[in-house]
Amino acid sequence: MYSAQTSEAMPNSEVSAASVEERLGIFPLPLTPLERFLVQCDTRQSSMVMRVVLRFTGDYQAGILIETLRRAMQRHPFLSCRLSGHRFRPHWVAGTPEKIVTQNVAGSVFAADSGPFGKHIDLTQSGGLHIEIRFMDDGVKVIMDAHHAITDGNGLRQVITDWLHLYHSEINGLLPRLPVIDPDRLQQRDRFPQPAAVAPITFREAVRNFLCTVKGRTARWVSGRRPELQKRSTVHGYFVEHILSASEVEQVQQRLSAWKITLNDLMIAACMSTFVKLVPGGSLNDRVTVLNPTDLRLPSDRSLPATNRFGFAFIRRNRSDCHDTAGMLKGIHDEMIYVRNGYIGAEFIKGLRTALKIPGGMDFIRRLGLFIPTLQWTCLGDVTRGARRLMTWKDGVLHSGGLRLEFATAYAPFAEKVPLSIATCEAGQRITLTLRSSTAFITPEQTGEFLRMLVNQICSLDLPNELS
């Protein structure tokens, strides 16, 4: 059992929406094409809420922990915005941060999570970041829910780094050394200039990439549930988490090193292979399509507050090719290098901008269904990246004022008509893997089976010398 309460750790920190707007001088702000797209993707069946869970052990001071978290949230004004205006001319208005909920909960922070996912955030009524802190028997568990229209995973990482550094500084009596944040940069958040070292792609190349994305039939996870049962169901999403053991992390790292690939590459291949093994049937020429968000941040974005700075890559392979996981690795690795080095992820954002100029253009693109993938995969990366120079780093673990960051977990949302969203998150040498599924397509039992098969894939993949 637990008791719930709303934090009032900073009685003088609440400011009115009007004073925030006056202080920043940037609101109201029109929605970018990506933000409008993400708002439209938010439905009763597919909540566009991402979740990050942090697990800490060690000594802590609850009041300072909450106060510094509030200060970190205030550094990023977009997280407090509200959505206003007609659907054809929506815009953001300034707001105040949502209050932090605190709970005393029996149990261990190390227990893996699973169950229905029903979190929705109404951006017209509240800010886009909701936080809950659970003080548990052996540590502290922090749950951050953010609407994807206001930030992405790297935006949340900014908040986490700011918070832990502020807490570390407060506990140790140090002056904070956080970078200066420039809220005015939010007015250019929809601009993705081509990096100077990257040549723009040619028109012919753009057409080729588009045809590769939409040509042929995409492999689908056919729902086994009757339509009337789907409509009556009140549970639209299910999630399951796997915290990789030290042995499993070692096996994964061994394969990344031997194949000279990234975790992102390995997971794309493993997701494709797991899908064809768990979902038999369909033509061998159907394309298993993985939607992979790609980071578009540049060094010049260091002063940009938390917001969305990502694009999309669509990785496709014939079903017939997906049985050989090892055989796909080099091709996927080379393709992702092309996507990253060529700034290809921004092309989809440019397409959204073009569609927005046409009345009903974005709705038309969504109805066509050309960009609905087989599944989604997101690599959230290491949440301690950039934080190690600001706090204590010891034995591969980040320490903040007596707290140890044991694990970080991320749950990525899925778009409407997409059955499955898979994500990994790292904290130093520790990795968590999550699945978030649509109950319109997949049962909780199938979600768990997909997870088990996926873990087995990434831990037991043949090494190069075993194939020769």
Side-chain angles (χ1 to χ4, degrees), residues 141-163:
K141 188 175 183 179
V142 180
I143 301 172
M144 296 182 166
D145 288 317
H147 197 292
H148 215 334
I150 57 103
T151 193
D152 56 18
N154 275 307
L156 285 181
R157 182 179 56 81
Q158 287 179 270
V159 179
I160 292 168
T161 299
D162 289 358
W163 169 41

Side-chain angles (χ1 to χ4, degrees), residues 218-359:
T218 298
R220 298 292 179 204
W221 194 317
V222 180
S223 172
R225 303 182 65 193
R226 296 198 304 273
E228 64 271 17
L229 293 179
Q230 295 179 30
K231 291 179 181 179
R232 288 203 300 264
S233 176
T234 57
V235 177
H236 301 291
Y238 186 84
F239 72 95
V240 60
E241 173 190 38
H242 180 80
I243 302 174
L244 272 68
S245 66
S247 174
E248 289 172 332
V249 172
E250 183 179 359
Q251 293 174 61
V252 170
Q253 295 293 352
Q254 182 183 17
R255 279 146 184 82
L256 298 182
S257 177
W259 284 101
K260 295 180 174 60
I261 57 174
T262 66
L263 180 61
N264 193 67
D265 304 332
L266 174 62
M267 289 299 301
I268 291 174
C271 287
M272 289 178 165
S273 180
T274 301
F275 173 83
V276 299
K277 290 177 180 177
L278 191 60
V279 188
S283 170
L284 293 177
N285 292 323
D286 286 356
R287 271 75 162 181
V288 178
T289 304
V290 174
L291 170 59
N292 181 211
T294 60
D295 185 23
L296 296 179
R297 280 170 173 75
L298 299 172
S300 57
D301 293 323
R302 287 172 184 158
S303 63
L304 179 69
T307 185
N308 281 308
R309 295 291 285 177
F310 73 96
F312 297 91
F314 292 84
I315 312 302
R316 313 183 84 205
R317 293 295 183 274
N318 286 347
R319 177 186 279 270
S320 58
D321 298 328
C322 294
H323 293 279
D324 182 9
T325 310
M328 291 190 289
L329 286 176
K330 185 180 187 308
I332 289 175
H333 177 67
D334 292 345
E335 188 171 348
M336 290 311 301
I337 288 178
Y338 167 73
V339 168
R340 287 191 294 269
N341 292 351
Y343 215 54
I344 303 301
E347 295 303 307
F348 190 85
I349 307 300
K350 294 176 183 177
L352 291 177
R353 185 181 296 119
T354 300
L356 197 59
K357 296 177 181 177
I358 305 171

Side-chain angles (χ1 to χ4, degrees), residues 398-414:
L398 190 70
H399 294 251
S400 173
L403 281 174
R404 288 167 44 97
L405 176 58
E406 301 289 353
F407 292 99
T409 299
Y411 299 89
F414 51 80

Side-chain angles (χ1 to χ4, degrees), residues 411-462:
Y411 299 89
F414 51 80
E416 191 177 17
K417 299 180 182 179
V418 178
L420 193 64
S421 182
I422 303 152
T424 59
C425 193
E426 300 164 65
Q429 295 299 312
R430 302 175 180 192
I431 302 175
T432 56
L433 172 63
T434 62
L435 269 69
R436 187 167 151 192
S437 61
S438 168
T439 54
F441 297 89
I442 308 175
T443 66
E445 292 74 22
Q446 289 173 315
T447 305
E449 179 63 17
F450 197 106
L451 176 65
R452 288 187 290 272
M453 293 178 65
L454 191 57
V455 172
N456 181 65
Q457 284 267 342
I458 62 177
C459 292
S460 64
L461 177 72
D462 289 334

Side-chain angles (χ1 to χ4, degrees), residues 1 3 12 20 39 86 114 167 176 250 275 317 415:
M1 298 294 292
S3 61
N12 297 320
V20 171
V39 167
H86 189 270
S114 65
Y167 179 73
E250 183 179 359
F275 173 83
R317 293 295 183 274

